[in-house]
Amino acid sequence: MSVGSACDHGEWAAEGRYEGDTRPSSPLSFRPEPGNLAGVRHIVLVLSGKGGVGKSTISTELALALRHAGKKVGILDVDLCGPSIPRMLRAQGRAVHQGDSGWVPVFVDREQSISLMSVGFLLEQPDEAVVWRGPKKNALIKQFVSDVAWGQLDYLLVDTPPGTSDEHMAVVDALRPHSPLGALVVTTPQAVSVGDVRRELTFCRKVGLRVIGLVENMSGFVCPHCSECTNVFSKGGGEELARHAGVPFLGSVPLDPELTRSLEDGRDFIQDFPDSPAFPALSSIAQKILSETPAGLS
């Protein structure tokens, strides 16, 4: 299936929703059938008000860490203009198929413990640009939420683009009836990033989305030779923001060349580099996400 055929259907759906639709506009005024999300236990959105802070990196490594904790994980990549997760999981070039219940996501491992849906699988050419206005993006996001047959999942991670606009409102509205566990907010330490991410926390409050916690990514560079840490982008901005905003601080992930190479090559960093300085930080974040799950629902 190509992005053209997907958006043709989505565009039709969007016209019914945005023009002359008499159904209640508030997602809280009706509760749709669970449909393809019926087997998904917990939904976590990965957000940031700033681009380039590593949301896709955190989403990918969190999925791998949860898999190693014995969980089945899905990743919904709604960064429509910059779908990078297929490469990070060495799944680029794979095809999405239509099944009896909807689109079948791409499984990235033989055990089928991580499944992935991304607009990157719908592009006819890898360098093709997605040049869409808001309603068309919103329609595809809603279609991703309703039409992907995830099956049984412990966690669905939703990797979002930066900002607080159309795509974010579309995904929050589409997922709200399914009671997301909350949002994981990512920043880097420097003040310019923290300022934008502060607006993301405001967005979460305005739309009623619970913040699970905040992660400071790229928090210092640990030299692989002498183990000295250099704070390339300053340090502590994320932790200070979390304290001022009254949200949990989940940890600081340092820069690590091995992590970068793992993402470029589509390798399992959590499995291959347990001695990396980034490993305990990423593992701790995954454990804190797991601890958010009530014992009876895990």
Side-chain angles (χ1 to χ4, degrees):
M1 177 176 292
S2 71
V3 71
S5 60
C7 74
D8 286 344
H9 172 77
E11 206 169 21
W12 175 86
E15 288 172 358
R17 191 68 186 94
Y18 288 97
E19 297 180 11
D21 193 337
T22 58
R23 290 176 294 167
S25 59
S26 169
L28 297 178
S29 58
F30 68 99
R31 189 173 185 87
E33 293 298 320
N36 282 326
L37 291 176
V40 178
R41 293 180 175 178
H42 310 293
I43 301 172
V44 177
L45 289 83
V46 182
L47 303 173
S48 180
K50 188 71 174 174
V53 300
K55 292 181 302 300
S56 297
T57 295
I58 296 298
S59 297
T60 299
E61 298 308 323
L62 178 57
L64 292 169
L66 290 171
R67 179 183 74 174
H68 288 296
K71 304 300 181 182
K72 288 197 70 172
V73 186
I75 305 177
L76 176 56
D77 180 6
V78 297
D79 191 347
L80 303 183
C81 296
S84 53
I85 291 186
R87 174 168 183 165
M88 293 178 174
L89 290 172
R90 200 186 288 177
Q92 67 267 44
R94 305 274 288 278
V96 171
H97 301 286
Q98 185 76 28
D100 293 337
S101 301
W103 289 343
V104 179
V106 169
F107 294 101
V108 303
D109 58 344
R110 280 195 294 265
E111 297 78 19
Q112 298 189 352
S113 56
I114 296 181
S115 50
L116 171 63
M117 185 63 189
S118 170
V119 73
F121 298 134
L122 306 180
L123 300 177
E124 295 180 359
Q125 299 294 331
D127 295 334
E128 185 178 346
V130 177
V131 186
W132 290 352
R133 297 188 187 276
K136 206 166 187 178
K137 290 181 178 180
N138 296 347
L140 183 60
I141 288 171
K142 291 175 182 177
Q143 195 173 2
F144 275 171
V145 170
S146 63
D147 290 2
V148 177
W150 294 104
Q152 299 296 315
L153 291 180
D154 295 300
Y155 291 90
L156 176 62
L157 307 179
V158 183
D159 183 49
T160 66
T164 58
S165 58
D166 279 1
E167 294 100 316
H168 309 83
M169 291 185 288
V171 74
V172 169
D173 284 348
L175 290 173
R176 191 192 306 274
H178 306 285
S179 303
L181 189 62
L184 182 69
V185 181
V186 183
T187 187
T188 49
Q190 65 268 43
V192 67
S193 176
V194 169
D196 287 342
V197 174
R198 184 179 290 110
R199 299 183 188 96
E200 192 74 34
L201 295 175
T202 302
F203 167 82
C204 291
R205 286 195 294 271
K206 285 185 174 181
V207 300
L209 182 63
R210 173 176 171 263
V211 176
I212 298 171
L214 191 144
V215 172
E216 182 178 288
N217 194 27
M218 308 183 198
S219 182
F221 170 73
V222 179
C223 176
H225 305 292
C226 68
S227 299
E228 181 179 350
C229 181
T230 302
N231 296 319
V232 181
F233 301 119
S234 77
K235 185 175 177 64
E239 187 169 8
E240 183 179 359
L241 173 60
R243 184 171 60 252
H244 286 170
V247 300
F249 182 66
L250 302 187
S252 301
V253 181
L255 290 162
D256 183 353
E258 296 295 355
L259 176 56
T260 303
R261 280 191 285 271
S262 293
L263 293 166
E264 291 284 336
D265 298 339
R267 298 172 61 189
D268 186 340
F269 174 82
I270 299 296
Q271 175 179 282
D272 294 347
F273 297 99
D275 297 327
S276 161
F279 175 87
L282 293 166
S283 297
S284 175
I285 292 165
Q287 287 302 315
K288 289 173 182 174
I289 295 295
L290 289 167
S291 71
E292 287 288 317
T293 306
L297 298 176
S298 61

